[in-house]
Amino acid sequence: MTGASGGLGSAVARRHAGPGVILSLWGRDSQRLEMVATECRAAGAEVTVRSLDISDVGAAVAALQQEDAAHPFDIAVFSSGRGDVRAPGDLVEEAGMVARLAIVNFAAPAAMAAALADAMARRGSGRIVLVGSAAAFHALPFAAAYSGTKAGLARFADALRLSVKAHGVCVTLVSPGFIDTAAGRKVPGPKPMLMAPDVVADRIVRASEAGRAHLVLPWPFVALRWLDRLLPRPLRDRVLGGLTPPEK
């Protein structure tokens, strides 16, 4: 589990915790990570933690392969990511921020998922969950890097799913809307249909267990995805252009 020190990742970790379960929890916030690990151990799970920055993609992949070689993973949930948007007063997003999001939101989880999918395929079983965002389906002018990197992850997840399906590996893409987490609350603007992390975590676990290819939640975001596709481009552009959060 990557992103285990975050609101959603910790909820998914607690949902999996129980007697006989071995959890490997990864996260940037070491203090928060230890708190989540303590909760999972109290539920009966055996837990190891790893605090690292996955923006060092090579080191992250090597650490994942090392852990998998020692104790092969049955399921991996990649839920880490950044939700940075355009800074107030800027015309476009800062180039360095775009690069950071490209690594953390796309390159790192994609590379790690590919490495693990290969090992799982050779074993003939396994489940991988990639947590994206409903923003992947909309060209958000104030969050071009975020929506763009999540769009890349969505296409990668679908392609990876097709490549390993015949080898007994299930890949599930999760595209949630707004989640009531500390990181989510920092995003400016209204947050319609805000979801509790525990509710989202439960849906993620059930979708993975059922072998679903794609989970979009809450359900109205499915309709919004189709609306974005079907609207004439001038009207769609007008709608999206009006979504920029007001500056404080």
Side-chain angles (χ1 to χ4, degrees):
M1 160 69 66
T2 65
S5 59
L8 178 59
S10 61
V12 176
R14 288 191 294 269
R15 177 63 175 74
H16 279 292
V21 174
I22 302 174
L23 294 175
S24 175
L25 305 182
W26 293 33
R28 288 192 299 264
D29 187 331
S30 58
Q31 184 175 3
R32 173 63 179 160
L33 194 61
E34 285 294 345
M35 291 173 59
V36 176
T38 298
E39 294 178 83
C40 292
R41 292 184 183 112
E46 180 182 333
V47 184
T48 60
V49 297
R50 185 182 289 270
S51 180
L52 81 171
D53 185 351
I54 64 170
S55 60
D56 185 345
V57 180
V61 170
L64 179 66
Q65 291 174 322
Q66 182 183 37
E67 289 197 20
D68 184 65
H71 297 285
F73 290 109
D74 296 314
I75 178 172
V77 181
F78 297 98
S79 69
S80 57
R82 298 184 65 96
D84 304 29
V85 300
R86 188 177 67 199
D90 285 354
L91 296 177
V92 297
E93 291 160 80
E94 190 268 325
M97 188 198 78
V98 175
R100 287 192 297 274
L101 263 65
I103 295 172
V104 176
N105 288 359
F106 175 69
M112 294 171 72
L116 192 55
D118 179 72
M120 287 178 167
R122 294 177 189 280
R123 295 194 290 267
S125 66
R127 287 182 284 154
I128 292 173
V129 177
L130 287 159
V131 179
S133 171
F137 312 116
H138 309 285
L140 302 178
F142 62 93
Y146 180 72
S147 57
T149 53
K150 292 298 188 179
L153 188 68
R155 182 55 60 91
F156 172 82
D158 198 33
L160 182 66
R161 177 183 64 84
L162 293 173
S163 69
V164 295
K165 182 178 180 181
H167 302 284
V169 182
C170 174
V171 178
T172 298
L173 170 68
V174 181
S175 301
F178 298 102
I179 306 174
D180 189 17
T181 64
R185 287 189 288 273
K186 293 179 182 178
V187 178
K191 302 172 182 63
M193 295 172 282
L194 191 67
M195 300 172 290
D198 288 343
V199 172
V200 179
D202 187 64
R203 292 287 303 277
I204 288 174
V205 172
R206 283 189 283 149
S208 176
E209 291 175 345
R212 288 186 60 173
H214 192 190
L215 171 66
V216 181
L217 68 163
W219 69 265
F221 278 80
V222 177
L224 289 175
R225 178 185 179 190
W226 281 104
L227 184 65
D228 189 292
R229 288 181 174 183
L230 298 174
L231 279 178
R233 184 174 293 274
L235 180 56
R236 188 207 68 149
D237 289 356
R238 193 181 312 159
V239 172
L240 291 172
L243 293 178
T244 302
E247 294 187 14
K248 295 181 178 180

